[in-house]
Structures are given as structure tokens and as C-alpha cells.
Amino acid sequence: MKKIVYFFCIDPQIDPVANSVLNYLKNNYPLQNTGDFCDDYNILSYNKGDYSYYCVSINDVLSHNYEKYLPFVKEKFSDCEFAGIVNWHAGNNAPDHILTVHSTGDVPSGYFAPSDPVHLKAIYRSLERNRVKFNLDDYHTLIEATHWSGIPYEQSPSLIIEYKVPIYDIEIGSTRASWEDPKAIQTLAESLFDLNLEDINVTAIVGVGGKHFEECFSEIIMNTEINLVPAHILPNQWVANEDYDGPEGREKLKKCIASIKGDVKGIVFHDNLKGMYKQLCRDIAKEYNIACFKHKTLRNNEQLKQIFNG
């Protein structure tokens, strides 16, 4: 059996989403005790098809106390297809009524967790499929820029690369009304066990520049004609503020590409990115012999077909 593990901070004073999602799963699926424990809580499992899903209850958000939990995670779950952190989304000017997923990495320091575009596409499409199924009409499914929430909690970004399994945040945002919305909880919960990870055709790209939520990156994942997936997205605020223009920036972008499973076929830069960073993208693309183009091209299927098939 292939393994997928999800982590839930069950303290609602810390995480207003995860415990509700886990309780939904307990009430609607025959979860089994595995005999293993974390923070004195039974680790639960559920089998479906070729996959065993593990639900791990913890007292804190995994990334907020990564130094504590990392040895346990490496010991018990280093053989997983991927790991998911179920939690909430918030932030200044953050969009509300969203379901979102993002890859893990600290863009400023250049530490990136493994990312598999197949996983991101499967998670995203499961969220969207269930959003429609459960009539969550006023919500949007979005992919968010790569980041790691351990930084504000004084966790070293170098810890990110110690766990060799792809790890993604899966969230509801961005206000309490959304975090406590029973239909949103149901939708996210059902999406966790409703993944289609088989026979997914993908072409991995890297997004550079733009905001945390650039709709073009979400739209391309749902595009039925073009199989592009942004396996990591490096938003403008960290690229421009953390000197991605010099030799150090080149190495950070190359480490980003190296963390992605499979071949990366393109770098997409935002039109508003400064010239020096656009040139960085072009230089790296030339070095790797891959495509490099503006983000607006993601909305032009004919151009994309010429770029990747011509």
C-alpha cells in the first residue's frame, strides 16, 4: 500500500480548522487505530484502493514546532508519497472564502522541500471537485505561493530539507466565518481521501514573481487542454527583497528547480517583475534549456502548445 499522511493540530485555540476537519473524518469514515501514538494521541488510518491514509493528531501546527516533531516524522513517515498539513489561511488582505494548497519552501533563504506537480494537481482538483459537489458556490479554489510558516515561530529554514517527502499545506481561508463554515470543513475533509494520483499527465513549471495568489497559476491547473503545474511559486515580495539577482540568487533558483520531482520544462515570470529578475529567469532557462515566458502566456493555449509541443 502507498502511504499518505496528514497532520492536524487539534487545539482550536491554535488552529481553528484542523480539529473540525479531523472530527468530520472520524464521524464519517471508519478510521482505525494503528497502535502508534503522537503527543499521546492514537494515529489513525483509512485504506482506500492502493492507498493508506494516516491522520496524526498533534498539539501544535507541525511547521510551527518542526524542530520538536521532525525526528518523529522522519522515523514514522519517511516512506510516504506525501505529507499534508491541514490548517487555516490568514493574512493581511488575504482573500476570503477560499480553499487553497501550497508547496513548502522558504523563498528568502532558498530552502525548498520536495514538490511533485502530480500531488499538487491531484490535491487542487480534489478540492475543486468537492467544492462543486457540496455546492460551495461562493468559495474559490486557489494555489498559493510557496512558503513555510515555521519562520515566524523561530524554526530554522534549514530543517525544511531534512524531511525528504513532499509536504503541502491544505487550508481554508481567510476569516473565522470561513474557518468555522461546516460546508467548507466538509469539502476540505472529503477532499483528503478523494485524490486521483494515477495517470496524471503533468509538465512542471516554476512561477517567479507576482502576488501570493496569482489566478493564472490556479487557472492553468484546471486547464483541460494544457497539463502545466507550477510546482513552486516564488512571489515578488521575497524574490525582489532577498537579492535573487546575484550569484546567490541564481543558486537559490537552481535549488528550487532541483527540489521538484521530474523534469521542469519552464520558468514563468510575472510581467511586473523587475528587469534584473526577469533576466535571471531567462539565464537559468537558457542554462537548463527550458522555456521561459511571461505569466500572461498561461492564458493563451495556442502559444503554450507552440512553446511545449513545437
Side-chain angles (χ1 to χ4, degrees):
M1 298 284 282
K2 300 176 183 177
K3 296 169 61 175
I4 293 170
V5 59
Y6 296 116
F7 295 91
F8 304 82
C9 171
I10 63 167
D11 185 344
Q13 299 302 312
I14 298 175
D15 186 327
V17 166
N19 192 50
S20 297
V21 173
L22 182 58
N23 283 335
Y24 178 93
L25 295 175
K26 289 178 179 178
N27 291 332
N28 290 276
Y29 287 87
L31 305 184
Q32 303 294 317
N33 291 334
T34 64
D36 288 323
F37 295 83
C38 184
D39 284 347
D40 295 326
Y41 304 113
N42 268 302
I43 295 175
L44 306 175
S45 68
Y46 172 71
N47 294 336
K48 181 181 179 182
D50 295 330
Y51 288 86
S52 290
Y53 297 90
Y54 291 84
C55 298
V56 182
S57 300
I58 54 179
N59 288 324
D60 203 349
V61 179
L62 180 67
S63 51
H64 295 186
N65 208 341
Y66 212 51
E67 188 172 13
K68 170 188 173 181
Y69 291 112
L70 184 59
F72 168 83
V73 173
K74 290 168 64 176
E75 178 186 355
K76 295 292 185 180
F77 297 108
S78 287
D79 57 345
C80 287
E81 292 287 301
F82 74 80
I85 302 175
V86 177
N87 61 6
W88 79 106
H89 183 269
N92 294 332
N93 302 315
D96 198 16
H97 286 192
I98 60 170
L99 305 165
T100 183
V101 59
H102 69 80
S103 60
T104 296
D106 181 53
V107 177
S109 64
Y111 287 102
F112 296 91
S115 179
D116 188 327
V118 170
H119 301 157
L120 284 168
K121 186 170 184 174
I123 296 168
Y124 184 100
R125 291 200 163 189
S126 182
L127 289 168
E128 175 62 13
R129 184 168 57 249
N130 283 284
R131 184 195 66 80
V132 174
K133 177 180 178 179
F134 295 109
N135 301 311
L136 214 60
D137 298 331
D138 55 342
Y139 281 69
H140 297 282
T141 305
L142 299 172
I143 188 168
E144 189 182 4
T146 301
H147 63 282
W148 190 57
S149 59
I151 297 300
Y153 297 87
E154 299 182 346
Q155 301 297 291
S156 170
S158 64
L159 297 174
I160 292 172
I161 60 174
E162 291 194 21
Y163 185 44
K164 307 302 182 183
V165 173
I167 185 166
Y168 313 100
D169 281 50
I170 308 167
E171 307 170 351
I172 296 170
S174 297
T175 64
R176 186 159 297 278
S178 295
W179 304 332
E180 297 177 353
D181 184 342
K183 289 180 68 175
I185 294 294
Q186 177 186 36
T187 297
L188 192 152
E190 291 284 352
S191 300
L192 298 178
F193 295 162
D194 187 36
L195 300 175
N196 175 17
L197 289 159
E198 308 302 325
D199 301 321
I200 295 182
N201 296 318
V202 295
T203 297
I205 57 175
V206 174
V208 181
K211 304 185 298 293
H212 273 268
F213 291 100
E214 284 292 342
E215 289 192 7
C216 63
F217 291 126
S218 299
E219 291 167 359
I220 198 64
I221 298 178
M222 291 303 298
N223 191 317
T224 57
E225 292 186 50
I226 307 293
N227 294 313
L228 298 180
V229 175
H232 279 306
I233 302 170
L234 285 57
N236 183 72
Q237 72 176 91
W238 289 322
V239 171
N241 293 341
E242 300 297 335
D243 296 328
Y244 265 68
D245 54 314
E248 185 178 348
R250 291 177 63 91
E251 290 306 309
K252 290 175 183 177
L253 185 52
K254 292 170 75 170
K255 286 196 293 183
C256 173
I257 293 172
S259 72
I260 296 170
K261 184 174 180 180
D263 293 332
V264 175
K265 296 296 187 180
I267 299 175
V268 182
F269 60 80
H270 196 278
D271 283 353
N272 292 337
L273 204 60
K274 290 182 179 179
M276 67 182 74
Y277 303 117
K278 292 179 181 178
Q279 190 59 48
L280 167 65
C281 294
R282 296 187 186 102
D283 291 345
I284 295 295
K286 183 177 181 180
E287 179 178 342
Y288 283 75
N289 193 29
I290 59 178
C292 186
F293 52 92
K294 298 177 181 180
H295 78 287
K296 292 180 180 178
T297 306
L298 292 174
R299 293 193 168 109
N300 189 319
N301 282 1
E302 294 309 311
Q303 280 189 271
L304 291 174
K305 288 176 184 178
Q306 291 177 8
I307 291 170
F308 290 100
N309 298 326

